[in-house]
Amino acid sequence: MPGYSFLKILNRYRYFRLFAILLVFIVLYLLNFLINPFSAYWKDYFDKDIWVNATDWMATLVFCALICEASVFAARILDKRLPWTESPFKRFALQITVQILMVVIIIYGIFSICSIFFTDNKTLSLEEQLDIWQFIYVCILVSILISATHTGNFLLVKWKNSMLEASALKLKTAELKEIAMQAELQSLKLQLDPHFMFNNFSTLSELISEDQGKASLFLENLSRVYRYMIVNLHKNIISLEEELKFVQSYIYLIKIRHGENLHIQIDIPASGYEKGIPPITLQLLIENAIKHNMATRKSPLRIHIYMEEEEHLIIRNNLQKISYILPTTQLGLKNIESRYKILSKKIPLIQKDETDFTVYLPLLSIV
């Protein structure tokens, strides 16, 4: 219940305040004794009447309570008016000054009240006067210690809250970045469909009029390829084994389109099947090579797909650049690079010389 929780917190707060006052009470007596253990006040301390000492203790407890409350109150007011973060040196000087003034006022007030009820017109000796000044100094020191403890706790809580806020902000930023990356990745994946389907529907329309048997087989492989693309649309990384199965169906489709003008050789050891790459990457690279190179029966386009030390998948084709410039959607290599940047710190390496065009695809771990 909210009411019960509030009372519980209030009780804990009261117990803490009581503990703090008792601690200040002990420290006050201890410091007074350690500074001057030979004072007249301590010579016959334990020989005094118990009620005299009890009265002294009660007065000191009230005094300690006043110092505690005044010190905490002053620190809270200054936290609002002049925070430590704005001007620490000015705040330090002001807080010390306020603490000293409050202690002097409290001591003067208590001594004034005591003089009303306990008037004996006795002249204080030099030693007694020194004891009083010592008591004032100790009270000021204790007040400063209380204020320092409160301020340290305040700054610690502020630091803890700022760290929690910074952690929460980092977590939120990471979540938003992840959402943005996933959205970008999905956008890049969706761009593949029109580019892929346009070429193959054109081929299918030609086969239907020429050879319905081939058209039926072509359509069957096309459906397998398209099913693969749909099933893996939401996957970021696919195993090399699955990608190669997809590529075999895809190669059938492009063989129908290009015949013996295109030679594709795949040399992947079984040990590399468990490695991963972004889905539909090989299809893009093969399509990219076909689009930008000539392929004839006398000078076929040769594409070689193989592995290098199970770290890279290499796709190499001979360069036979077409003599005219085709309009491009700029999907191919740019799409692959963008996906790798999202998924990994490893980036594909592209090498080009007079005879070959080579792409080194980093192999990824499948989580």
Side-chain angles (χ1 to χ4, degrees), residues 10 17 34 64 98 108 145 168 172 214 220 288 334 343:
L10 186 61
R17 280 298 180 88
L34 292 175
C64 290
V98 170
Y108 180 78
L145 289 175
K172 190 68 176 177
K214 278 188 176 181
E220 182 180 341
N288 188 70
K334 186 177 180 181
L343 296 171

Side-chain angles (χ1 to χ4, degrees), residues 17 55 81 114 145 162 205 292 294 314 318 349:
R17 280 298 180 88
T55 304
R81 302 292 178 86
C114 291
L145 289 175
S162 66
S205 64
H292 295 286
M294 294 186 295
I314 302 173
N318 56 324
L349 175 64

Side-chain angles (χ1 to χ4, degrees), residues 209-244:
S209 59
E210 295 175 1
D211 189 333
Q212 292 187 357
K214 278 188 176 181
S216 177
L217 192 57
F218 184 91
L219 184 59
E220 182 180 341
N221 279 277
L222 179 59
S223 65
R224 289 176 187 170
V225 170
Y226 196 59
R227 189 184 304 115
Y228 171 89
M229 296 175 71
I230 292 174
V231 168
N232 295 294
L233 180 64
H234 299 292
K235 295 181 180 179
N236 297 332
I237 301 175
I238 199 77
S239 72
L240 192 53
E241 182 179 13
E242 291 182 79
E243 181 78 358
L244 288 173

Side-chain angles (χ1 to χ4, degrees), residues 301-360:
L301 177 63
R302 302 180 186 277
I303 301 175
H304 189 195
I305 301 173
Y306 59 100
M307 284 182 60
E308 184 182 75
E309 298 179 356
E310 296 190 2
E311 292 185 0
H312 290 90
L313 184 67
I314 302 173
I315 300 88
R316 174 175 285 129
N317 65 270
N318 56 324
L319 272 178
Q320 300 181 146
K321 299 295 289 183
I322 55 178
S323 57
Y324 55 93
I325 300 175
L326 288 173
T328 176
T329 57
Q330 296 183 345
L331 290 178
L333 295 174
K334 186 177 180 181
N335 185 294
I336 294 170
E337 288 177 352
S338 297
R339 286 197 286 164
Y340 264 95
K341 285 178 182 178
I342 293 173
L343 296 171
S344 169
K345 293 181 179 179
K346 302 175 181 178
I347 303 299
L349 175 64
I350 300 171
Q351 289 184 348
K352 181 180 178 182
D353 55 32
E354 294 181 356
T355 58
D356 295 313
F357 183 87
T358 308
V359 178
Y360 293 81

